[in-house]
Amino acid sequence: MPAPEMMHAIRVHAYGNSEKMHYENVLMPKIEADEVLIKVSATAFNPLDHLIRMGVVQETFPHKLPYIPNVEVSGTITEIGKGVKNLKVGESVFALLNILSNGAAAEYVATKAEYVAVAPKKIKLPEVAAMPVGALTAWQALFDHGQLESGQRVLIAGAAGGVGTLAVQLAKWKGAHVIGTASEASFPMLKEIGIDELIDYNQEMVEERIEDKLDLIFNLSPEGSNEVSNWLHLLREGGTLVSITSPADGKVAKELNVNVVHMNVQQSGEQLAHIAKLVDEGVLKPVIAEKVKLKDLPELHHRAEVGTVRGKVLITVGE
Ligand SMILES: NC(=O)c1ccc[n+]([C@@H]2O[C@H](COP(=O)([O-])OP(=O)(O)OC[C@H]3O[C@@H](n4cnc5c(N)ncnc54)[C@H](OP(=O)(O)O)[C@@H]3O)[C@@H](O)[C@H]2O)c1
């Protein structure tokens, strides 16, 4: 019998600190009829990755140990399941993976074809891996839940990170007036991607800076529910606050006649296809702060533990 094919991957062997993550040889994943196998070009880091690894969100994200982390991927399809009609071997693709399955911190990953879209051509394939979480989260928050329209005013609280920088660009593309909170060090980058107004969260209170009513607030900041709820009166009647971190108070929202949504990003190959088109049209680009190699992922997790990771970090896998 031929030896089973092996690949390099990072696996988390126990919840706890980053010393429980190892770069090792593991069995290649096998695909189901509705799946594709992707040779990974790159993946990217998300703050949730290290919370899952520490075991602090075990109840919401129960993993079978050992597991391969990372939910974002760009790469090339090497195999397709019998039932997959819309993708081909050899195509460059990107995807947001199921967070409870083995992830893309590996040379190969298997995923449902419905989560996958053909990658944009305007940017290099590895860089595309910095987009699925941020672009899908921003798309769903601004457009599916927030119903953002041209000419509306939107506050993006936490504009400088992996999600925020894509939210700013998508909101500008829609024709909105975009106000963001960030630290001063992020201001030049945010101006470059077209933000209209900036609030330094270290120096100013959002409530004190916003004078005209907002149509939408997209909160991805680490502020607690009390602070986020304080922003509800900044919305016009019928306006919406969408949060992907702390939820706002529903009772206060009802009194003010505004809407609150607390959402989790969902996979969608269809929405990624729209996003790829916007990248190719020059509307949208990932903002990558740093690149590291796959074998250095444990070190990146260690830095996340001590709070020194800033901005979107790309993890390159292919050569
Ligand atoms: N529910 C979901 O579906 C979902 C999906 C994706 C992400 N998330 C969560 O959303 C959050 C943001 O994700 P991300 O990938 O964008 O993180 P990230 O890349 O680490 O960026 C976080 C940004 O927050 C900014 N920040 C720090 N303190 C702030 C404050 N008090 N007010 C405003 N901004 C502040 C920082 O800006 P400066 O660099 O300028 O200091 C940093 O750039 C994380 O908590 C993540 O887990 C949730």
Side-chain angles (χ1 to χ4, degrees), residues 6-12 21-29 37-44 67-76 97 101-110 129 293-298 315-319:
M6 305 295 281
M7 65 172 185
H8 289 108
I10 294 279
R11 287 201 301 182
V12 175
M21 300 176 83
H22 301 299
Y23 181 67
E24 56 195 2
N25 259 321
V26 302
L27 280 175
M28 291 263 292
L37 187 68
I38 299 172
K39 184 175 194 304
V40 179
S41 168
T43 177
Y67 73 90
I68 301 173
N70 286 49
V71 292
E72 299 186 272
V73 64
S74 65
T76 309
L97 307 171
S101 304
N102 272 326
E107 288 176 303
Y108 291 84
V109 67
K293 295 209 180 299
L294 180 62
K295 65 177 173 40
D296 299 324
L297 188 57
I315 298 134
T316 53
V317 178
E319 53 287 0

Side-chain angles (χ1 to χ4, degrees), residues 10-15 24 52 58 60-69 99-103:
I10 294 279
R11 287 201 301 182
V12 175
H13 285 261
Y15 292 124
E24 56 195 2
I52 293 177
Q58 266 180 73
T60 322
F61 303 107
H63 270 283
K64 196 167 153 263
L65 296 164
Y67 73 90
I68 301 173
I99 201 160
L100 296 179
S101 304
N102 272 326

Side-chain angles (χ1 to χ4, degrees), residues 10 27 33 47 58 74-75 120 147 163 199-200 230 264 267:
I10 294 279
L27 280 175
Q58 266 180 73
S74 65
Q147 315 285 323
V163 182
I199 301 172
D200 179 350
N230 282 341
N264 280 321
Q267 289 89 356

Side-chain angles (χ1 to χ4, degrees), residues 45-49 51 72 133-134 137 140 156-165 180-187 189-190 199-202 206 218-223 231 243-245 262-266 309-313:
F45 179 74
N46 285 282
L48 185 58
D49 297 345
L51 298 181
E72 299 186 272
V133 166
T137 308
Q140 290 163 18
I156 299 174
V163 182
T165 49
T181 66
S183 63
E184 206 182 345
S186 303
F187 283 15
M189 174 273 292
L190 285 165
I199 301 172
D200 179 350
Y201 63 78
N202 289 314
V206 166
F218 177 24
N219 174 50
L220 43 143
S221 75
E223 299 289 349
W231 301 340
S243 184
I244 59 166
T245 51
H262 191 220
M263 66 155 259
N264 280 321
V265 64
Q266 305 296 319
V309 176
R310 227 178 140 258
K312 193 75 185 174
V313 183

